[in-house]
C-alpha cells in the first residue's frame, strides 16, 4: 500500500517541525545497554525500564558480568518489567552468545543481531539505528503501528508488512528519526484511546483512518 508522495512529505515535514529533537527514551551509554534495555522494554514502559537498568548496569555493566549472573538473581533484578522469566532467559542467553561468539561486543550487523536470543527485527533495528546510526529498517512498535494506520501510510497490522510499506515510501535518510518522532507524537498527541485531533498539528492532512473517539 502506498500513500501519495505529497501526503508522505506532509507527514515527514510535520514530524520534523514538531519533533526536531526526538531521542530514544531508553537510557543507555553504549550499544550493549541499549540492546538489553530494548529487550526489557517489551510490554513495559520506558520509565520502568530506565529505573531497572539504572541499578542493573551499575552492578553488571557488560555482557561478561550478566552472562555469569545466576538466572534467579537476574530474574529478581528485572522482575518489575514483567515477563521477567522469559526476559531473564533471553538476556542471559544473549550475553553468553555475545561473549562466546562476538568477543563481548554487540555486532553491527542485522543478520548476526537477530540470531541472538530475545532479539527480533525490531530490537535489531533499534540498536543499529540508534546506537550505530545505521538505517537498516524502520522500527515498528505499537505507536508506529497505530499512527501509520491512522495517517494512511499502511493498512497492515503485521509489523513486518508495515515496515515494508514504510521502507518503500520513506527516504532511507528518514528511517531512524521517523520512528523516534512517531513514538513521541503517539505518546503526546495521537494517543491510543482518545487521540487529541483538535489540537493536533497534523489535523489538516490526516485522514484519521479508524479514529472514532477523538478529543
Ligand atoms: S489528527 Fe488525530 S489521528 Fe491524525 S495524527 Fe493527529 S491525533 Fe492522530
Amino acid at each position: 500500500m502506498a500513500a501519495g508522495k505529497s501526503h508522505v512529505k506532509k507527514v515527514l515535514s510535520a514530524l520534523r517541525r514538531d519533533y526536531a529533537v526526538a531521542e530514544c527514551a531508553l537510557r543507555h551509554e553504549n550499544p550493549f545497554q541499549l540492546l538489553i534495555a530494548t529487550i526489557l522494554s517489551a510490554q513495559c514502559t520506558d520509565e520502568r525500564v530506565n529505573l531497572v537498568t539504572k541499578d542493573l548496569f551499575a552492578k553488571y555493566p557488560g555482557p561478561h558480568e550478566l552472562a555469569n549472573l545466576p538466572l534467579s538473581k537476574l530474574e529478581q533484578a528485572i522482575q518489575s518489567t514483567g515477563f521477567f522469566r522469559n526476559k531473564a532467559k533471553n538476556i542471559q542467553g544473549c550475553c553468553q552468545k555475545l561473549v562466546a561468539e562476538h568477543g563481548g561486543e554487540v555486532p553491527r550487523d542485522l543478520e548476526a543481531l537477530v540470531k541472538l536470543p530475545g532479539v527480533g527485527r525490531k530490537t535489531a533495528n533499534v540498536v543499529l539505528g540508534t546506537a550505530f546510526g545505521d538505517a537498516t529498517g524502520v522500527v515498528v512498535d505499537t505507536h508506529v503501528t497505530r499512527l501509520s494506520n491512522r495517517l494512511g501510510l499502511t493498512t497492515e497490522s503485521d509489523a513486518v508488512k508495515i515496515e515494508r510499506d514504510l521502507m518503500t515510501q520513506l527516504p532511507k535518510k528518514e528511517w531512524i528519526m521517523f520512528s523516534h518522532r512517531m513514538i513521541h507524537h503517539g505518546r503526546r498527541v495521537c494517543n491510543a484511546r482518545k487521540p487529541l485531533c483538535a489540537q493536533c498539528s497534523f489535523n489538516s492532512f490526516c485522514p484519521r483512518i479508524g479514529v472514532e473517539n477523538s478529543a
Side-chain angles (χ1 to χ4, degrees):
M1 164 198 179
K5 274 190 182 165
S6 75
H7 180 64
V8 173
K9 271 191 179 169
K10 281 179 193 163
V11 173
L12 287 172
S13 68
L15 285 170
R16 268 197 301 267
R17 180 195 60 219
D18 291 0
Y19 306 99
V21 181
E23 290 173 350
C24 176
L26 293 170
R27 262 194 294 178
H28 60 279
E29 288 176 6
N30 52 49
F32 172 72
Q33 291 190 355
L34 181 59
L35 174 63
I36 301 304
T38 309
I39 293 173
L40 288 172
S41 72
Q43 308 290 319
C44 182
T45 64
D46 291 345
E47 291 76 19
R48 166 61 52 191
V49 172
N50 287 339
L51 277 177
V52 167
T53 53
K54 193 173 172 217
D55 290 343
L56 186 72
F57 296 145
K59 286 187 198 155
Y60 314 104
H64 292 92
E65 294 83 358
L66 276 174
N68 293 323
L69 187 66
L71 202 56
S72 58
K73 277 202 166 184
L74 180 53
E75 286 177 354
Q76 211 180 359
I78 65 164
Q79 192 166 10
S80 64
T81 67
F83 302 97
F84 64 94
R85 290 212 168 82
N86 204 28
K87 287 180 184 175
K89 214 168 83 191
N90 281 333
I91 288 171
Q92 191 186 61
C94 175
C95 290
Q96 287 171 347
K97 207 166 164 119
L98 286 178
V99 171
E101 296 177 17
H102 300 283
E105 298 290 328
V106 174
R108 191 173 176 171
D109 174 64
L110 185 71
E111 299 298 315
L113 276 168
V114 295
K115 286 189 185 131
L116 297 169
V119 180
R121 201 178 154 87
K122 183 192 134 203
T123 298
N125 278 335
V126 168
V127 172
L128 290 169
T130 300
F132 292 113
D134 295 345
T136 48
V138 181
V139 172
V140 176
D141 76 341
T142 176
H143 297 289
V144 175
T145 296
R146 183 177 72 253
L147 270 68
S148 296
N149 274 277
R150 286 176 176 173
L151 284 159
L153 302 176
T154 186
T155 53
E156 304 288 350
S157 54
D158 174 73
V160 174
K161 291 179 182 163
I162 294 171
E163 185 183 4
R164 184 201 56 204
D165 281 349
L166 294 173
M167 285 168 78
T168 308
Q169 296 172 86
L170 305 173
K172 194 170 183 182
K173 65 178 170 40
E174 300 282 353
W175 288 359
I176 298 171
M177 289 309 290
F178 172 82
S179 295
H180 287 316
R181 289 173 173 142
M182 289 278 269
I183 291 166
H184 281 262
H185 193 57
R187 287 192 173 134
R188 291 182 193 167
V189 184
C190 193
N191 309 310
R193 293 216 179 116
K194 218 173 172 64
L196 308 175
C197 295
Q199 303 160 42
C200 179
S201 61
F202 296 29
N203 202 322
S204 63
F205 60 83
C206 177
R208 294 192 245 169
I209 292 166
V211 173
E212 284 163 17
N213 298 328
S214 65

